[in-house]
Amino acid sequence: MLQMRTSTEAVLPSSFRDPSGFLFRDNGILYRQINRVYQSQYEHLIRSGLYRALICDNLLVAHQEVPTEIAPVPQLNPYIVIRPEPIPFISYPYEWSFSQLKACALLTLQVQKRALDYGMTLKDASAYNIQFKAGKPILIDTLSFDRYQEGEPWAAYRQFCRHFLAPLALMAYKDLRLNQLFRLYIDGLPLDLTSSLLPLSTYFRISILSHLHLHARAQQVWSDPATTRRRVRMSRRALLGLIESLETGIHRLRPPANPSIWSQYYEDHTYSREAFSHKLALVEAFLEITQPQTVWDMGANTGRVSQLAARKGSLVIAFDADPLCVELTYRTCVERGEARILPLYLDLTNPSPSLGWAHQERLSLAERGPVDMLLALALIHHLALANNVPLEKIAQFFHGLCRMLVIEFVPKQDAQVQRLLAVRTDIFPEYTQGTFEQVFERYFLIERIARIRGTERTLYLMRAK
Amino acid sequence: MRRFGELITWLGVLWLGQALFASAAWAYIDPGTGSYLFQLLMAGLLGAVFAVKMAWRNVKTYLASWFARHHASDADIH
């Protein structure tokens, strides 16, 4: 994953586009080298008071300046090296729900407005520059600021529309799943494609008409860079009008489903109340034994077990393959001020891959591990029976993801499994509890086994070999 | 006032649409050029709408403070 330069230092392979600087690791700690070419902008960021203002409002990740001797590429003429506060888990826009992407879009515009107050502007507006820290979005790229020149348009306007407005509009007016187009188009959704996919009714929404449909058309009509040589100015008031127009447009976007329906969307009818309480008690006991700092809850549903792990002090990533479910969990976390849970979209049968230049710009799920504890509750029958994944492959994959595993075995006599097998031939003779234990013991040591009261299901605590 | 701002926006957007669709030509796309020029084309419109919005906000703030003062002095009398 990292391009090694010496035994202790490494430049992140995703950090190469901006000549202002780059990220590197030294003894596991993340640093950012700022090159001499960015000196005046960095000094203005600090001396103008913009940095302090952004930090006070939790809009930008804080950093400390450290000696430049640590810089791994001295020939790039380092001006300064900074150590940003770490982000516990890096997530990507194709893993966010509608409201998460919307929050990131509004944060970007808020930062841009604040930057203009201090004579600076955002030189880029990439969704990848925003991450979630303690439940809230935050800008992580300290080098995103440039000096504002009166009369200049916003250089990041196109990127903002591609990274934020286009996917949000498609999710709001078409389908929540269209956020997955981000996986195909790493630099945001092409505006002509977005315009063609949006329903005709969006031509009657001013912000969508202007910033997406007409903007897309403008890109087709004016494709010759020579035309930009004409000396035309964009006043500061017009620039503020542009930001305000984008902000209003994004504020008005709503996810397509009525949230009131979602409150009953994922009530679990599999368990009796007593059985579910017992399952929670068992998971709680396992968490107390192992004290994991990080937990990945695979198939988190609406996050009830994730909440339990968060209460025990773990930082939890609550993955689910249903975008509505992720949306609901995120809204619940925001309402409760939950800082220890990050809900994310993930289809475990096709998890987030390595993407971008040389497959190294965006990390796969596995590259972001291993996690201290992986929760695979009420999941194995979906993988093994509904998706035909052999138990051996499940055990092997989980072994690469975690140090500890809490997994629930759901036998064939369970009502949920019976439902899965009701309309298909049972081609899974090896799907038995005995085979399950035998296969998983090749990769894990089984430390605890407990039957969930009132069910045929069994909960295991395992440690990776 | 808000309706007036929206009317100005609509007229401007319609003019923009006419300008763009009238000169339709498919060419190799330089994505930055179109976005850059589109902002400049929108600049006058955006600036006007922003000015109207700001003026309206100032009026609302003034009226709100005037009413607040008025009610406060009424309360003092009673």
Side-chain angles (χ1 to χ4, degrees):
Chain A
M1 161 190 144
L2 298 174
Q3 173 193 336
M4 300 307 289
R5 288 181 181 262
T6 72
S7 57
T8 57
E9 61 196 28
V11 176
L12 262 62
S14 59
S15 187
F16 63 90
R17 290 189 199 281
D18 189 351
S20 309
F22 58 86
L23 291 161
F24 66 95
R25 279 190 201 281
D26 187 279
N27 287 323
I29 298 172
L30 186 72
Y31 296 93
R32 190 186 289 277
Q33 174 172 322
I34 298 175
N35 295 332
R36 190 67 65 180
V37 69
Y38 194 71
Q39 179 176 348
S40 90
Q41 290 92 329
Y42 179 77
E43 284 176 355
H44 189 84
L45 173 72
I46 303 297
R47 289 178 188 165
S48 67
L50 174 58
Y51 172 78
R52 182 174 293 276
L54 294 172
I55 298 301
C56 285
D57 288 348
N58 274 326
L59 300 175
L60 174 68
V61 74
H63 69 254
Q64 283 184 322
E65 295 178 0
V66 298
T68 50
E69 287 73 49
I70 202 171
V73 193
Q75 58 270 39
L76 280 179
N77 199 6
Y79 157 61
I80 205 164
V81 174
I82 59 173
R83 186 173 65 193
E85 278 182 4
I87 300 295
F89 185 84
I90 296 293
S91 59
Y92 300 122
Y94 41 84
E95 296 168 336
W96 298 342
S97 72
F98 177 88
S99 291
Q100 284 173 308
L101 186 61
K102 183 173 171 176
C104 293
L106 293 173
L107 174 106
T108 303
L109 294 174
Q110 200 182 346
V111 170
Q112 169 67 350
K113 284 201 291 191
R114 192 63 64 86
L116 286 168
D117 289 341
Y118 289 83
M120 298 200 91
T121 181
L122 279 177
K123 66 181 184 187
D124 50 27
S126 167
Y128 299 96
N129 281 349
I130 314 291
Q131 289 297 325
F132 285 87
K133 189 166 187 274
K136 290 178 181 164
I138 193 164
L139 176 67
I140 59 163
D141 188 0
T142 315
L143 309 187
S144 279
F145 301 92
D146 212 343
R147 296 292 287 271
Y148 171 61
Q149 305 289 333
E150 177 87 34
E152 279 295 308
W154 188 24
Y157 172 60
R158 171 187 153 271
Q159 194 176 39
F160 182 86
C161 291
R162 290 182 59 138
H163 281 231
F164 294 108
L165 189 58
L168 283 170
L170 282 175
M171 282 196 278
Y173 294 117
K174 206 67 180 169
D175 195 301
L176 277 179
R177 291 168 293 185
L178 285 171
N179 197 26
Q180 290 306 300
L181 284 172
F182 244 118
R183 270 204 197 185
L184 289 176
Y185 299 101
I186 197 164
D187 194 22
L189 276 54
L191 300 187
D192 59 330
L193 175 64
T194 306
S195 175
S196 70
L197 290 175
L198 283 170
L200 282 175
S201 60
T202 57
Y203 277 82
F204 297 95
R205 307 272 175 186
I206 288 179
S207 56
I208 304 299
L209 172 64
S210 53
H211 298 300
L212 291 181
H213 292 304
L214 295 180
H215 187 177
R217 195 71 184 168
Q219 289 184 337
Q220 292 169 10
V221 173
W222 295 309
S223 56
D224 180 7
T227 51
T228 59
R229 288 182 198 143
R230 282 186 301 172
R231 191 72 194 142
V232 189
R233 288 165 58 83
M234 183 170 190
S235 70
R236 182 189 164 83
R237 193 168 65 185
L239 182 56
L240 287 169
L242 179 81
I243 308 302
E244 176 113 349
S245 164
L246 288 167
E247 206 169 32
T248 308
I250 285 169
H251 265 301
R252 285 181 183 167
L253 292 175
R254 297 273 183 275
N258 181 357
S260 63
I261 300 169
W262 304 350
S263 57
Q264 289 153 9
Y265 186 69
Y266 255 86
E267 284 301 313
D268 196 330
H269 300 297
T270 313
Y271 291 92
S272 66
R273 183 170 292 189
E274 189 205 355
F276 191 71
S277 300
H278 187 228
K279 177 172 161 176
L280 285 180
L282 290 172
V283 174
E284 188 172 3
F286 290 170
L287 286 166
E288 277 169 4
I289 294 167
T290 51
Q291 302 277 321
Q293 287 192 345
T294 52
V295 171
W296 290 357
D297 187 358
M298 315 307 267
N301 220 308
T302 48
R304 291 179 68 180
V305 181
S306 298
Q307 286 164 22
L308 172 67
R311 276 202 302 277
K312 290 283 162 194
S314 304
L315 178 77
V316 186
I317 313 297
F319 291 110
D320 204 275
D322 186 327
L324 267 179
C325 217
V326 182
E327 174 71 20
L328 180 58
T329 310
Y330 176 68
R331 283 169 175 240
T332 309
C333 288
V334 171
E335 280 166 20
R336 295 182 181 177
E338 177 58 75
R340 290 185 166 272
I341 299 177
L342 175 60
L344 291 176
Y345 170 85
L346 183 85
D347 177 359
L348 201 54
T349 62
N350 181 23
S352 302
S354 309
L355 289 174
W357 182 251
H359 312 289
Q360 290 182 321
E361 279 190 84
R362 310 292 164 224
L363 302 176
S364 70
L365 175 71
E367 285 170 316
R368 286 174 277 170
V371 67
D372 289 346
M373 177 175 280
L374 191 122
L375 300 176
L377 306 176
L379 183 69
I380 189 136
H381 53 306
H382 291 291
L383 299 175
L385 305 180
N387 284 283
N388 293 29
V389 184
L391 289 172
E392 178 84 27
K393 284 192 178 292
I394 299 170
Q396 199 175 23
F397 183 50
F398 284 176
H399 180 258
L401 293 182
C402 66
R403 300 184 182 93
M404 303 288 300
L405 171 67
V406 174
I407 188 165
E408 178 180 356
F409 183 77
V410 186
K412 275 189 182 168
Q413 57 269 35
D414 186 274
Q416 290 294 319
V417 177
Q418 289 296 315
R419 204 172 296 165
L420 283 177
L421 294 174
V423 289
R424 61 179 302 186
T425 314
D426 182 357
I427 53 164
F428 310 100
E430 77 289 359
Y431 187 81
T432 64
Q433 192 153 356
T435 315
F436 165 80
E437 288 183 5
Q438 200 182 341
V439 167
F440 271 73
E441 278 186 312
R442 290 182 203 141
Y443 300 90
F444 295 91
L445 292 169
I446 297 177
E447 297 204 336
R448 296 278 196 284
I449 303 178
R451 173 66 66 88
I452 301 171
R453 207 177 293 146
T455 73
E456 300 289 332
R457 301 177 171 205
T458 309
L459 208 60
Y460 292 82
L461 172 64
M462 304 186 186
R463 186 179 296 276
K465 281 183 177 172
Chain B
M1 198 63 183
R2 188 179 155 189
R3 292 279 167 211
F4 180 65
E6 283 188 357
L7 180 66
I8 292 179
T9 313
W10 268 111
L11 289 172
V13 166
L14 286 173
W15 171 77
L16 271 176
Q18 185 274 334
L20 291 171
F21 284 92
S23 55
W26 186 272
Y28 175 76
I29 292 168
D30 174 8
T33 310
S35 301
Y36 186 89
L37 287 173
F38 184 66
Q39 281 184 81
L40 295 176
L41 202 65
M42 297 246 292
L45 171 69
L46 292 167
V49 172
F50 187 70
V52 169
K53 275 187 176 177
M54 286 302 109
W56 179 234
R57 272 180 207 168
N58 288 339
V59 169
K60 278 203 294 189
T61 310
Y62 173 77
L63 290 175
S65 62
W66 186 85
F67 277 114
R69 275 203 312 270
H70 186 71
H71 282 291
S73 54
D74 279 355
D76 290 343
I77 291 166
H78 296 295

